[in-house]
Amino acid sequence: MSRKLLVALSALLVVVFALSACAPAATPTEAPVVETEAPVVATTEAPTEPAIVFKACEVTDTGGVDDKSFNATAWKGATDAQEQLGIEAKYLESKEVADFEKNINAFIEEKCDIIITVGFLLSDATVAAAEANPDVKFSIVDQGYDTVYPNIVSQVFQTDEAAFLAGYLSAGVTKTGKVGTFGGMNIPTVSIFMDGFARGVAYYNEVHGTAVETLGWNTETAEGLFTNDFSDQQKGREMAVTLMDEGADIILPVAGPVGLGAAAAIQERGNAYIIGVDSDWYLTAPEYAAIELTSVMKLMDGTTFSVIKSALDGTYTGGKIIGTLENGGVALADFHDLSSIVPDELKAELETVKAAIIAGEIELNPVYQQ
Amino acid sequence: MDKNENEKQDFGKLVLQEVTGESPKAKIQKRSVWQVIQIPFLAILTGLIIGAILIVATSQTVWTAFAESIWKGFSTAGKELGTAYWALAEGSLGNIVTQIKAVSSGDDAAIRAAFNPFLESLVQSTPYIFAGLACALGFRAGLFNIGVEGQLFMGGIFATYVGYSITGLPPYIHAPLAFLAGALGGAVWGMIPGLLKATTGGHEVINCIMMNYIAYRLTAFLLTGPMTRPSVAGMPLSPIIEKSAEIPQFFPSPIRFHLGFFIALGFAFLVWWILFKTTWGLNLRVVGANTRAAKYAGLNITKTTIIGMAMSGALAGMAGANEVLAVNHSMATSLSSGYGFDSIALALLGNSHPVGVILAAMLFGVLKNGATRMMVVSKIPIDIVTIIQALILIFVAAPPIIRAIYRLKAPKKEVATAVTLSGWGRNK
């Protein structure tokens, strides 16, 4: 250890103390800094409307903003709004239950124009904050309420409509006459996929006089196959192997990342296909592109975007937005690389079925009516 | 008791005497107070410095500015850093200007709003105090309780159950009852590894980790099954507890400052009193310091180990009960994001002394709370604060690094780490 090192370290210390002295010095300038920053952002991104300082703020649940699921999708809606509408988007991640209220309060203090909360875990905190702050606008993703609050917009999804199409498609594509599904937990947001899927298969049988069988979900008893886990991919692998052994050649796993385990098992076996959920797996899990037939998508980015837009242009009213096939809130993804294995007449039929669902001519399970 | 042990005791008295200002020998001991706190103090400082470097290095704005000119780069870096750390301070302690204005205006609502950041920091530090005490007590007894996280979950579950299932009790009975139920849940969960260690020699670290897994899964099972909220049946969320079971918050929303903080301070005092003022506490510390000597002196190791783990577990359970009863008012599987594990480090930072634990817990609470504001204002991810915390702890755990950086002389006896190290592999 030389004397030079000592000098260098002392110099570092001096710099540090100087820096720490800088921080309090920022006191008087702090407020102006915030004010000047916002117009700069606005002018660079939306030169036509330089005066807008509109903040859309998202509080994630414990999954975090990069969960590749609803937190991430909702955040994409907010960043889309940032790019297209010239607003400012911010987020806070929650690590535990106690953070929900804290983060919402931090955004209320920040005077956010709309606060977007994600998932059922935040439902209590959102209602409490909305009642305590009647002039702050809220929107909660993937959670409905029995009561209508004037300053909460619930974003809910009629997912069974898109799953119905996936079922119809699968029944038309299967070679073995058997398709399978399994879920993470027997809760409504999961089983809505499985129920719609099974009904789609049944409808295909009705139209074509076939006898394609759905493994893993019984529409009569509302029971089926569940991993009781949303994180262990090994369980997804086991489920997929079981279903394939039973003869299923198309599988819909409704269990978040557990489904990736199923995809791995199917890819190894090589004679079956998988249907993704929530987002287009062709884009989020491209390593399994060869076996990804399609995905049943919940487009929370779209609904989040439209809620932000409504708050921005003054058309915001409390209640709920239901993502449907009609408004594009739920959809069947493109077939991408596997487009060739889907016959053209089946594609045409899917369009007809879709139109029939939108027109209300095909009845889905009323239990899942959002 | 060896000399080392005496020194530890001295430190305890010393800090307290410093705090209360009652020491007759304060002048003589002042130097050694500095010796005790110099490592944590310099560790915090160094952690913040490296954190600053990280903030600057990961900032896109700074890199863009550096691309334009070096001078602009430095000024932007300074500005970014100023904004970030100012937000950290403002978010955790409040803005002094606003506070003075509020106090002089005499408006209640304004005063409350101005001091809310600091009060919120105390709210954040409360579970850390309980969990830190749990670890500290374990360390003192020579037990490495790494099961605080699981005990915390069991405390939360017990408190929640008593909180919503019993109705019609007056608040002054219901809330304490629910809180003690939480302590009981933690105590039971902590006692099991204690029993296993005392009777079979199974190491408490391994058994505690396993008990953590059982606690997580049991919580998930209970919350999706028997204890689920009927309106969201199947989702891992408990019913909301009765109003009478809530630990009262002092001010209207959004201020969450609650009685639990003072309860935590009360238990810190109790732990200090038990450890340093009772014979039983002395026994506990002797067993912790040297099991063989304790055995030779005729102390009952089995009993001390079991009760030590149970008490540690009870404190951990209180951390969970506190979160449910005072803050969340219901239980979910994401009750804690690692209070139990942070508390191990926190007890180390506080030298396993109740006063040290309180101070360390408040540091953690301040950092955690300030991070939210930092994220809102400057969009610096909350994770940076986790890194700063980790750095501080690394420096505390390895004092030679700090001594090398700041050219400090090594003390004759290693005071800061002795307590912790004695927890490993002694009772064989």
Side-chain angles (χ1 to χ4, degrees):
Chain A
M1 291 282 221
S2 63
R3 187 167 285 266
K4 269 182 205 161
L5 183 60
L6 178 63
V7 172
L9 287 168
S10 322
L12 179 68
L13 251 184
V14 170
V15 170
V16 164
F17 281 118
L19 280 177
S20 51
C22 279
T27 321
T29 54
E30 193 265 339
V33 164
V34 173
E35 274 173 35
T36 50
E37 222 170 65
V40 169
V41 171
T43 40
T44 49
E45 280 166 9
T48 44
E49 294 164 277
I52 288 180
V53 187
F54 182 96
K55 289 178 201 158
C57 305
E58 175 182 329
V59 179
T60 76
D61 82 348
T62 50
V65 79
D66 49 2
D67 67 343
K68 288 195 176 177
S69 182
F70 58 2
N71 288 300
T73 318
W75 176 239
K76 184 175 174 293
T79 47
D80 286 351
Q82 176 164 287
E83 278 159 24
Q84 295 169 29
L85 307 174
I87 61 146
E88 195 184 354
K90 292 177 180 236
Y91 72 88
L92 278 174
E93 288 186 335
S94 307
K95 305 271 187 210
E96 64 206 13
V97 181
D99 288 346
F100 299 153
E101 192 185 354
K102 183 190 80 172
N103 288 342
I104 292 174
N105 285 340
F107 276 148
I108 291 172
E109 188 159 320
E110 183 64 12
K111 303 205 165 34
C112 289
D113 297 273
I114 183 160
I115 297 175
I116 297 140
T117 56
V118 186
F120 83 99
L121 280 173
L122 276 108
S123 62
D124 290 348
T126 307
V127 170
E131 284 178 339
N133 302 278
D135 31 334
V136 179
K137 297 186 183 76
F138 290 89
S139 178
I140 185 161
V141 178
D142 217 10
Q143 169 70 30
Y145 295 109
D146 295 334
T147 333
V148 173
Y149 299 93
N151 57 337
I152 303 179
V153 172
S154 297
Q155 303 176 27
V156 289
F157 299 87
Q158 203 65 54
T159 326
D160 49 351
E161 293 186 353
F164 189 94
L165 293 180
Y168 194 92
L169 166 77
S170 306
V173 172
T174 178
K175 300 244 169 11
T176 58
K178 282 178 185 171
V179 296
T181 181
F182 67 90
M185 208 176 261
N186 197 352
I187 50 177
T189 45
V190 167
S191 56
I192 190 172
F193 281 91
M194 302 162 76
D195 193 80
F197 182 74
R199 279 168 204 274
V201 173
Y203 185 72
Y204 184 91
N205 289 338
E206 202 181 307
V207 172
H208 293 267
T210 49
V212 178
E213 205 181 324
T214 311
L215 305 174
W217 181 255
N218 185 329
T219 49
E220 302 291 317
T221 60
E223 278 165 14
L225 271 181
F226 294 96
T227 55
N228 288 316
D229 189 289
F230 282 102
S231 56
D232 188 353
Q233 296 198 11
Q234 186 56 34
K235 288 185 183 153
R237 178 182 280 272
E238 286 161 14
M239 281 289 178
V241 168
T242 310
L243 286 169
M244 285 188 289
D245 287 346
E246 293 283 325
D249 64 350
I250 295 169
I251 295 171
L252 170 79
V254 195
V258 174
L260 295 175
I266 294 169
Q267 184 126 312
E268 277 167 23
R269 203 65 79 98
N271 56 1
Y273 301 109
I274 197 162
I275 296 175
V277 288
D278 290 340
S279 54
D280 187 352
W281 280 18
Y282 186 84
L283 305 174
T284 57
E287 61 272 33
Y288 301 116
I291 53 153
E292 281 161 359
L293 182 57
T294 182
S295 298
V296 180
M297 299 190 293
K298 279 161 93 168
L299 297 147
M300 294 141 182
D301 49 343
T303 47
T304 304
F305 182 88
S306 53
V307 172
I308 293 173
K309 195 161 183 292
S310 75
L312 184 64
D313 61 24
T315 56
Y316 175 100
T317 43
K320 61 183 168 187
I321 293 188
I322 306 172
T324 59
L325 280 179
E326 187 175 13
N327 63 19
V330 298
L332 202 61
D334 197 72
F335 307 123
H336 298 290
D337 296 355
L338 292 180
S339 189
S340 56
I341 68 157
V342 184
D344 283 341
E345 46 287 21
L346 185 57
K347 283 178 187 161
E349 279 174 45
L350 280 172
E351 286 306 317
T352 327
V353 174
K354 183 180 171 183
I357 293 173
I358 291 171
E361 288 157 12
I362 293 174
E363 239 178 77
L364 292 162
N365 191 345
V367 171
Y368 296 108
Q369 183 67 44
Q370 298 291 334
Chain B
M1 235 192 314
D2 59 14
K3 194 163 175 277
N4 194 6
E5 182 64 23
N6 279 329
E7 271 181 42
K8 269 182 269 165
Q9 245 185 307
D10 282 352
F11 161 68
K13 282 182 193 151
L14 217 129
V15 174
L16 255 137
Q17 284 159 352
E18 276 303 307
V19 171
T20 53
E22 282 171 358
S23 168
K25 292 182 280 180
K27 265 184 191 169
I28 308 164
Q29 289 170 344
K30 218 156 213 166
R31 204 175 61 91
S32 56
V33 168
W34 166 241
Q35 275 185 349
V36 172
I37 65 161
Q38 66 180 9
I39 296 292
F41 175 78
L42 292 174
I44 293 165
L45 188 70
T46 319
L48 287 174
I49 295 165
I50 301 185
I53 295 168
L54 282 176
I55 289 172
V56 171
T58 54
S59 164
Q60 198 57 51
T61 338
V62 172
W63 286 107
T64 322
F66 265 116
E68 277 182 43
S69 79
I70 289 185
W71 169 242
K72 196 160 180 226
F74 274 114
S75 74
T76 315
K79 210 173 112 191
E80 285 270 304
L81 209 54
T83 319
Y85 275 178
W86 174 249
L88 186 70
E90 197 191 26
S92 56
L93 305 172
N95 186 329
I96 187 81
V97 180
T98 326
Q99 282 166 351
I100 292 170
K101 267 189 204 155
V103 171
S104 60
S105 76
D107 178 16
D108 267 2
I111 294 174
R112 283 203 301 266
F115 284 94
N116 186 27
F118 180 64
L119 294 177
E120 179 63 29
S121 292
L122 297 184
V123 172
Q124 303 275 325
S125 58
T126 308
Y128 280 128
I129 298 178
F130 281 119
L133 286 173
C135 282
L137 189 94
F139 283 145
R140 288 284 175 180
L143 297 164
F144 191 8
N145 184 3
I146 199 170
V148 169
E149 187 80 356
Q151 291 146 18
L152 185 150
F153 272 89
M154 293 320 290
I157 280 283
F158 274 56
T160 309
Y161 185 74
V162 173
Y164 77 79
S165 65
I166 303 175
T167 52
L169 285 180
Y172 53 86
I173 295 178
H174 197 181
L177 191 69
F179 188 74
L180 290 177
L184 178 73
V188 169
W189 221 247
M191 203 169 79
I192 297 171
L195 262 172
L196 288 173
K197 176 165 190 169
T199 57
T200 70
H203 202 289
E204 79 274 15
V205 168
I206 294 157
N207 290 326
C208 277
I209 294 172
M210 296 307 129
M211 292 302 281
N212 282 347
Y213 288 125
I214 299 172
Y216 301 150
R217 298 302 169 218
L218 189 61
T219 306
F221 164 74
L222 288 171
L223 291 181
T224 50
M227 285 175 68
T228 194
R229 185 185 300 186
S231 59
V232 292
M235 296 291 203
L237 194 64
S238 83
I240 298 172
I241 59 165
E242 292 287 313
K243 275 265 173 255
S244 55
E246 289 178 9
I247 291 177
Q249 299 186 348
F250 295 118
F251 306 106
S253 172
I255 301 175
R256 305 197 289 176
F257 188 53
H258 56 78
L259 189 64
F261 178 71
F262 294 107
I263 299 175
L265 293 187
F267 273 98
F269 177 78
L270 192 69
V271 168
W272 169 81
W273 184 77
I274 290 176
L275 278 178
F276 299 105
K277 296 289 161 190
T278 65
T279 321
W280 194 79
L282 181 71
N283 292 352
L284 193 89
R285 285 182 297 131
V286 171
V287 171
N290 191 332
T291 322
R292 285 196 196 91
K295 208 176 232 169
Y296 187 71
L299 298 178
N300 187 340
I301 312 279
T302 311
K303 199 174 135 198
T304 316
T305 305
I306 295 171
I307 298 181
M309 275 307 286
M311 280 174 60
S312 178
L315 287 163
M318 287 177 203
N322 170 76
E323 285 299 274
V324 168
L325 302 176
V327 181
N328 301 336
H329 302 148
S330 69
M331 171 101 182
T333 41
S334 43
L335 174 69
S336 157
S337 60
Y339 286 113
F341 300 112
D342 288 350
S343 65
I344 297 167
L346 198 143
L348 170 72
L349 183 63
N351 201 20
S352 293
H353 189 282
V355 175
V357 166
I358 292 173
L359 294 176
M362 282 170 67
L363 174 73
F364 273 47
V366 159
L367 285 175
K368 198 174 173 202
N369 187 29
T372 307
R373 178 87 195 138
M374 193 162 86
M375 171 96 196
V376 170
V377 172
S378 56
K379 296 192 181 172
I380 292 167
I382 287 171
D383 307 276
I384 203 96
V385 161
T386 317
I387 296 177
I388 293 176
Q389 275 179 3
L391 288 168
I392 292 173
L393 292 165
I394 289 171
F395 294 136
V396 169
I401 306 179
I402 288 292
R403 288 206 201 92
I405 294 177
Y406 297 98
R407 311 285 290 174
L408 300 172
K409 274 185 196 146
K412 282 173 200 158
K413 287 250 178 184
E414 191 45 75
V415 181
T417 54
V419 175
T420 323
L421 294 178
S422 70
W424 283 98
R426 278 285 185 83
N427 302 9
K428 283 197 178 134

